Amino acid sequence: MKMAKQVILTGIRANNDLHIGNYMGAMLPMIDMATKRAGEYQVNLFVPDLHSFTTPIDHSKLQEAIMNNLRVFVAAGLPLDNPDVHIYRQSYIPAHSELTIVLDCFTGVGEMGRMTQYKDKIQKNGDDRVSVGLFNYPVLMAADILLYNTSYIPVGDDQTQHLEFARDIALRLNANFNQDLFVVPKSVKKQHAFFGKDQGLRIKDLIDPTKKMSKSDESGRGVIFLNDTPEIARKKITSATTDSLSRVGYNTDQPGISNLLELLALFSSRSLDEVRKEFEGQTQYGPLKEALADSVANFLTDFQTSLAKVDDKVLKSKLETSEKAMNTAANRVLFKVQQAVGLRPRD
Ligand code: TRP
């Protein structure tokens, strides 16, 4: 029998503007794989639309946000003509919801209650203002991963706990039913080794460089969005938080400067070593910020030009093909689980 290709998968949420952290951290590693290692792997890039309103959103904007995310995948260079590349919307594949309900019954309330993302929200808002959808978020995410026999998932540090859960629940069901219902995703360590550069996954906020660049930042001043004009991006970089040491260095005492160095490496397609060699020891931060602003401005201009050129007809036709194929694939895994738990007759 022919061995199935290993699956690399990620979901990029659509409830807010995408930023360079999403781009460098999640999208680029996928696109790299899809273009450089096509044929070797299957690449799934999807919009987890059911995850979009686990916290409240403006629903009148969701549909447009979903389509925009898909266009961004294309503008970022995802090769749509590759038959091993699939793009889809989670809610168009009902198996995600169906498997979630089954997995729910093998998941402990305490286990979900210990998830930091959930705990943080509870602490901030109180438990009546946090939805069961948010509580259940990691189970749906596990279903997203397990339905496609996924091995590799590029996600940031904030998602490693969820990834560990996907592994745990896969192992748990496999053991419980004494069969290989699910492919167990690789450990976080192996994920990092596989994707090589995990720097993209650690892009920090420009104002508070101790936290990840994130769309939930209220002011948006520390976040560079993919639809920021080059001028706005330049202003944000100019006012990025640094320190008073007056010496460019890459170390934990200088999180702001270290972040700028990492960003410059990513946006100028150079190694971190090379960038460090050029800037470390300089007594002014201006030139580093200037160099970064130039690279980011170039990147944004190119990216926005590509985004404007995305052909919706081609995109929609690819969506239709992928969603059909993914329904078939996901239903196959779902059916095995339904048989194992006794919802379907065993043949
Ligand atoms: N939770 C991820 C995030 O917020 C998005 C996501 C949903 C995801 N389902 C997934 C990522 C499955 C990887 C695999 O970034």
Side-chain angles (χ1 to χ4, degrees):
M1 204 179 86
K2 213 174 96 215
M3 279 278 287
K5 288 178 179 150
Q6 282 194 311
V7 178
I8 310 172
L9 169 149
T10 201
I12 298 181
R13 284 173 70 183
N15 47 350
N16 259 310
D17 296 332
L18 292 168
H19 53 79
I20 58 168
N22 302 129
Y23 186 92
M24 288 294 175
M27 246 177 273
L28 219 55
M30 294 295 281
I31 288 160
D32 261 12
M33 290 292 163
T35 44
K36 296 194 189 123
R37 301 174 81 167
E40 241 178 296
Y41 293 96
Q42 179 187 319
V43 172
N44 287 20
L45 191 50
F46 74 101
V47 180
D49 52 0
L50 290 167
H51 275 117
S52 302
F53 45 98
T54 49
T55 50
I57 59 159
D58 176 354
H59 289 268
S60 69
K61 299 212 170 96
L62 181 57
Q63 191 49 228
E64 185 51 30
I66 293 167
M67 290 314 294
N68 185 55
N69 261 39
L70 292 161
R71 285 185 204 111
V72 167
F73 297 167
V74 183
L78 193 73
L80 293 190
D81 54 358
N82 184 330
D84 287 326
V85 170
H86 303 285
I87 53 168
Y88 51 96
R89 294 157 288 187
Q90 183 187 41
S91 74
Y92 280 69
I93 297 160
H96 290 242
S97 306
E98 294 179 64
L99 181 60
T100 298
I101 300 286
V102 174
L103 297 181
D104 273 341
C105 301
F106 297 87
T107 302
V109 170
E111 194 175 21
M112 288 300 99
R114 285 190 291 276
M115 294 284 164
T116 38
Q117 204 169 53
Y118 167 78
K119 278 201 304 196
D120 289 351
K121 285 268 163 36
I122 290 273
Q123 214 166 33
K124 257 199 231 152
N125 305 323
D127 60 2
D128 269 336
R129 303 190 58 183
V130 171
S131 72
V132 173
L134 184 77
F135 182 66
N136 208 27
Y137 184 114
V139 184
L140 177 57
M141 181 163 163
D144 296 339
I145 293 169
L146 301 178
L147 281 172
Y148 303 95
N149 296 325
T150 308
S151 297
Y152 294 105
I153 307 110
V155 292
D157 292 343
D158 64 324
Q159 297 294 317
T160 45
Q161 213 185 4
H162 298 161
L163 191 54
E164 297 288 1
F165 172 71
R167 282 169 54 78
D168 289 347
I169 191 95
L171 289 165
R172 190 175 307 162
L173 267 81
N174 287 354
N176 218 312
F177 295 100
N178 201 20
Q179 56 175 301
D180 289 334
L181 291 173
F182 299 122
V183 168
V184 181
K186 305 284 183 207
S187 68
V188 172
K189 209 168 135 205
K190 284 197 182 145
Q191 305 275 353
H192 283 177
F194 179 76
F195 290 106
K197 55 163 198 241
D198 61 333
Q199 327 172 356
L201 298 174
R202 292 195 310 249
I203 289 186
K204 297 292 193 290
D205 187 275
L206 296 174
I207 300 296
D208 179 358
T210 61
K211 70 174 220 242
K212 190 178 129 147
M213 187 178 282
S214 151
K215 48 202 164 196
S216 50
D217 170 71
E218 277 109 34
S219 73
R221 282 188 310 141
V223 181
I224 297 177
F225 295 102
L226 293 177
N227 59 7
D228 277 346
T229 63
E231 294 72 39
I232 290 184
R234 188 176 290 277
K235 278 203 192 111
K236 288 178 178 174
I237 291 167
T238 310
S239 35
T241 302
T242 54
D243 52 58
S244 52
L245 297 175
S246 294
R247 191 173 183 284
V248 175
Y250 184 76
N251 54 61
T252 46
D253 291 338
Q254 298 184 272
I257 294 296
S258 302
N259 189 35
L260 296 181
L261 288 167
E262 288 197 3
L263 283 169
L264 181 58
L266 284 169
F267 281 95
S268 60
S269 306
R270 284 186 286 170
S271 70
L272 182 59
D273 279 349
E274 211 177 304
V275 169
R276 283 177 63 177
K277 241 181 232 139
E278 184 180 340
F279 287 93
E280 265 181 321
Q282 290 194 8
T283 51
Q284 287 186 331
Y285 295 152
L288 170 60
K289 284 185 164 179
E290 192 115 333
L292 178 60
D294 288 342
S295 316
V296 170
N298 282 338
F299 161 79
L300 287 175
T301 307
D302 290 351
F303 174 78
Q304 288 163 7
T305 308
S306 314
L307 188 64
K309 281 201 214 134
V310 172
D311 183 339
D312 273 2
K313 257 210 210 103
V314 177
L315 171 62
K316 282 182 181 151
S317 132
K318 176 73 181 182
L319 265 182
E320 205 173 301
T321 318
S322 289
E323 283 167 358
K324 198 158 168 247
M326 292 304 99
N327 263 302
T328 307
N331 283 337
R332 205 174 291 141
V333 173
L334 177 66
F335 186 65
K336 274 204 298 183
V337 175
Q338 289 172 326
Q339 282 185 315
V341 299
L343 289 170
R344 296 287 182 276
R346 285 164 203 255
D347 35 31

